[in-house]
Amino acid sequence: NQALTFLSYKFKEISAFMRETTNSGGQILSSPSNAETQSLLQQCKQVSQSMKTPRPGRFLSCLEPVVSSPATADHLIHLYESNIETAFRILHRPTFHNEYEKYKTIPTEIVDVTMLKIQLVMAIGFGLCPKFSDLNGVRKMACQWLYTAQDWLSGPIEKDRLSIDSIQVQCLLILARQVLSVGGDLSWVVMGTLLRTAMQLGLHRDPRHFPGISNL
């Protein structure tokens, strides 16, 4: 009870401070003390960002899909979409196609999580393609993409891991592990993480209560 009373008192202090220093839109009012507070907050954000940058798991060790030809890559993506996406709606196709076309045009501007999705989709396509399934080199490359995605997901939990993109990577990774038989029998373990991540994002809530959220 004492702890709850203390917390209630502190929240009232914070609420009073916010009313005094911000307007109705949440913007900080102009005053010397408020300007100093805003400056300190900005410095704290900069320090936080500089500390996060060198953390392990923020950079990928295998960024670029290595496929013999664009036609092969297109075929692998078609295999995924025609066999998997029809049963498990994971990707928003127009968005993914735009990202894929951008990769083919300007690969250096593709963010890590988009590259992971492209890699995993191709890895699943490899597993579904008989002419590739028996080639050790191809399988090794596809497995490396799986390990890269797992490394990225296993990195320190940060804001870029709590997103729809991250959910998509987790779903694709589970399917890729099963298709390529890479620890597929333990997929239920990572499914628990996927479920809790989705709940952390609020995806368990009834969308009827949030009319402003896009269905895309």
Side-chain angles (χ1 to χ4, degrees), residues 55-74:
R55 287 182 182 178
R58 286 188 63 86
F59 305 103
L60 300 181
S61 58
C62 182
L63 276 172
E64 185 176 354
V66 182
V67 180
S68 57
S69 69
T72 299
D74 293 344

Side-chain angles (χ1 to χ4, degrees), residues 126-179:
F126 278 134
L128 298 173
C129 190
K131 68 179 181 180
F132 287 126
S133 59
D134 295 331
L135 299 177
N136 291 331
V138 172
R139 176 178 171 79
K140 182 178 179 180
M141 178 175 59
C143 289
Q144 179 59 50
W145 294 344
L146 269 65
Y147 300 144
T148 300
Q150 186 63 62
D151 288 345
W152 185 81
L153 290 170
S154 299
I157 297 299
E158 299 171 10
K159 291 180 181 179
D160 58 353
R161 304 298 197 276
L162 297 176
S163 64
I164 296 297
D165 286 322
S166 177
I167 292 288
Q168 291 173 329
V169 169
Q170 291 184 59
C171 291
L172 292 171
L173 180 58
I174 290 171
L175 289 173
R177 287 177 57 172
Q178 293 176 327
V179 170

Side-chain angles (χ1 to χ4, degrees), residues 41-52:
L41 286 174
Q42 188 62 34
Q43 291 178 36
C44 290
K45 289 182 179 180
Q46 292 175 352
V47 171
S48 175
Q49 291 174 356
S50 65
M51 291 176 63
K52 289 178 180 178

Side-chain angles (χ1 to χ4, degrees), residues 14 17-18 21-22 26-29 32-50 159:
I14 294 172
F17 173 78
M18 294 300 293
T21 58
T22 60
Q27 297 176 331
I28 297 178
L29 298 174
S33 60
N34 290 347
E36 183 179 357
T37 300
Q38 191 171 18
S39 176
L40 288 173
L41 286 174
Q42 188 62 34
Q43 291 178 36
C44 290
K45 289 182 179 180
Q46 292 175 352
V47 171
S48 175
Q49 291 174 356
S50 65
K159 291 180 181 179

